[in-house]
Amino acid sequence: MKINIDQFTLGSKKKEWAWFWKRQHKPAYFLNRLQWFYYPPLHHISRFPLHVDFETSSICNMNCPMCFRPHRANQNDGLLDFEVYKKVIDECSKYNLYSIRLSWRGEPTKNPDLLNMAEYAKKKGIKEVSFLTNGLLLDEEFSRRLAEIRVDYISVSIDGLYKDYEKIRKPATFNGILNRLKYLKEVRDSIGKGYPRIKVNTIWTKIKDRIEEYYSIFGPLADIISFNPDYDYSEKSSPVSSKHICQYPWQRLTVKWNGDVPMCISDWDSEVVLGNVKNNTLHSIWHGEKMNEIRKNMLCQKILNYAPCRKCHRPTTEQIGNVNPVK
């Protein structure tokens, strides 16, 4: 079993290690990482998930060509209700959950309660709170609140440079996202004591011919730069081996905007629903019959029993590797 097989970084090894080291709760983080990397190969089921993803919004304000969203069978979108969210966070707090991410299939800043959600999680003792965003709505007021709450990090998707970026990320402009990042860095350094830390994420094919230029622009603004290989989400199947054992059933759960808990973060269409947090606890779902059956079938080489697994691109991703443009 390989862990985190589709996550790559652009930059020096020193900068990569600094990203891991500069956590607000170091002992808890390193314990979480040990569990993250060792529980799946040992097939150890923890008392509670190690991480929970919340789909605060499945709505998006962009239509990027490389995204999976247009290829979803279920196009029913909405926003996560704050009261439902608080119910689940209260349970996460009870089990001393280390981390949550406030994003999944949509743009989280479209949810007007996003900052309140981040603040509530922090007050309930969730140690690491983060989200992914296209950055279009990161205005000055929003950035200041992020710094005041001391959200741990945000990952901003910036694919390509200049006109290439603007073609992909309409209606955003390159200078616009650059200025928003500059302000966020300024305000987090002045009032956020270095938080939120900033990750910039991109698609490999959009920077591979301009790596040094991309790094020279975003290296000074981002604490780390990551990139993903390209996936063709129009393909209805992926050459996944039946012998593949996925890490996710031993690591994390995802809560959709309507409360449903899908099989994993790659189950874009919610083809396998484990339960709903409106009438179930996450603990009962994590240890429930459906989840245990998934784990058992993984170990018995029956992964292809599940439609989301047959379509998953993660096990077959190109292993590009980390890239260091620093001479």
Side-chain angles (χ1 to χ4, degrees):
M1 181 188 296
K2 295 181 180 179
I3 309 297
N4 296 358
I5 56 176
D6 57 351
Q7 299 179 10
F8 309 108
T9 58
L10 183 69
S12 67
K13 200 68 177 176
K14 180 179 179 181
K15 193 161 189 174
E16 184 180 354
W17 277 107
W19 171 258
F20 295 122
W21 179 250
K22 292 181 180 178
R23 303 278 165 161
Q24 297 196 68
H25 301 276
K26 291 183 183 65
Y29 169 71
F30 287 113
L31 174 60
N32 177 265
R33 290 298 88 181
L34 285 172
Q35 295 168 327
W36 189 265
F37 280 94
Y38 288 104
Y39 279 8
L42 293 173
H43 312 142
H44 176 74
I45 304 171
S46 56
R47 186 174 65 146
F48 199 72
L50 304 177
H51 171 87
V52 177
D53 297 283
F54 289 90
E55 186 178 47
T56 50
S57 166
S58 63
I59 300 167
C60 194
N61 48 10
M62 291 186 181
N63 188 25
C64 304
M66 70 288 186
C67 186
F68 63 87
R69 287 176 53 80
H71 305 289
R72 293 177 299 156
N74 178 7
Q75 300 288 339
N76 184 25
D77 289 325
L79 303 174
L80 179 62
D81 180 77
F82 193 20
E83 294 304 314
V84 173
Y85 168 81
K86 288 196 292 185
K87 171 184 180 291
V88 183
I89 286 294
D90 289 347
E91 183 188 2
C92 293
S93 176
K94 171 185 172 183
Y95 286 100
N96 197 29
L97 180 71
Y98 173 75
S99 64
I100 65 169
R101 181 171 291 166
L102 298 175
S103 55
W104 185 32
R105 300 178 302 172
E107 172 52 42
T109 57
K110 292 291 290 180
N111 191 321
D113 286 319
L114 179 66
L115 290 171
N116 294 330
M117 289 174 166
E119 187 173 35
Y120 186 80
K122 279 294 185 183
K123 287 181 178 178
K124 296 298 290 188
I126 306 300
K127 296 176 179 62
E128 184 166 285
V129 178
S130 66
F131 62 87
L132 283 60
T133 177
N134 57 39
L136 186 61
L137 300 181
L138 292 182
D139 59 23
E140 292 187 1
E141 181 182 355
F142 193 98
S143 294
R144 289 189 68 87
R145 287 258 348 249
L146 283 175
E148 290 167 352
I149 297 169
R150 294 186 71 183
V151 167
D152 292 84
Y153 75 87
I154 68 168
S155 179
V156 186
S157 299
I158 304 176
D159 303 300
L161 296 168
Y162 309 111
K163 294 298 181 182
D164 289 338
Y165 167 82
E166 293 175 355
K167 183 178 179 180
I168 295 170
R169 292 282 174 178
K170 297 183 218 179
T173 65
F174 188 75
N175 285 336
I177 191 63
L178 201 59
N179 289 333
R180 285 191 286 276
L181 273 188
K182 288 177 179 177
Y183 182 80
L184 176 60
K185 185 175 187 300
E186 176 185 328
V187 76
R188 72 94 188 259
D189 289 343
S190 60
I191 67 173
K193 298 182 179 179
Y195 299 94
R197 290 186 302 152
I198 301 168
K199 174 188 277 192
V200 166
N201 188 68
T202 185
I203 300 295
W204 171 245
T205 55
K206 305 306 177 187
I207 65 161
K208 67 175 185 173
D209 297 323
R210 306 175 74 173
I211 291 175
E212 292 184 12
E213 183 180 9
Y214 190 92
Y215 191 80
S216 69
I217 294 172
F218 293 108
L221 297 175
D223 296 282
I224 196 168
I225 299 174
S226 60
F227 63 88
N228 299 107
D230 294 67
Y231 299 126
D232 184 358
Y233 291 108
S234 66
E235 296 179 343
K236 300 303 181 183
S237 63
S238 180
V240 181
S241 169
S242 61
K243 296 181 180 180
H244 175 72
I245 301 176
C246 179
Q247 66 188 73
Y248 294 141
W250 287 272
Q251 288 178 332
R252 67 206 295 175
L253 285 179
T254 302
V255 179
K256 279 181 60 178
W257 70 271
N258 63 358
D260 281 347
V261 177
M263 172 180 177
C264 76
I265 60 169
S266 292
D267 187 5
W268 312 120
D269 291 319
S270 300
E271 294 176 279
V272 181
V273 176
L274 305 175
N276 190 292
V277 296
K278 293 177 183 178
N279 47 37
N280 293 274
T281 64
L282 272 189
H283 182 273
S284 66
I285 292 173
W286 181 245
H287 294 283
E289 182 178 345
K290 287 185 178 181
M291 195 64 178
N292 284 328
E293 182 181 23
I294 289 169
R295 296 181 183 115
K296 179 181 177 181
N297 283 333
M298 288 268 179
L299 299 178
C300 294
Q301 299 184 14
K302 295 180 180 179
I303 185 175
L304 300 183
N305 285 6
Y306 301 100
C309 298
R310 295 194 297 270
K311 296 187 290 186
C312 186
H313 292 76
R314 297 179 191 273
T316 58
T317 186
E318 180 186 1
Q319 294 297 298
I320 299 169
N322 299 334
V323 177
N324 185 2
V326 181
K327 304 300 182 182

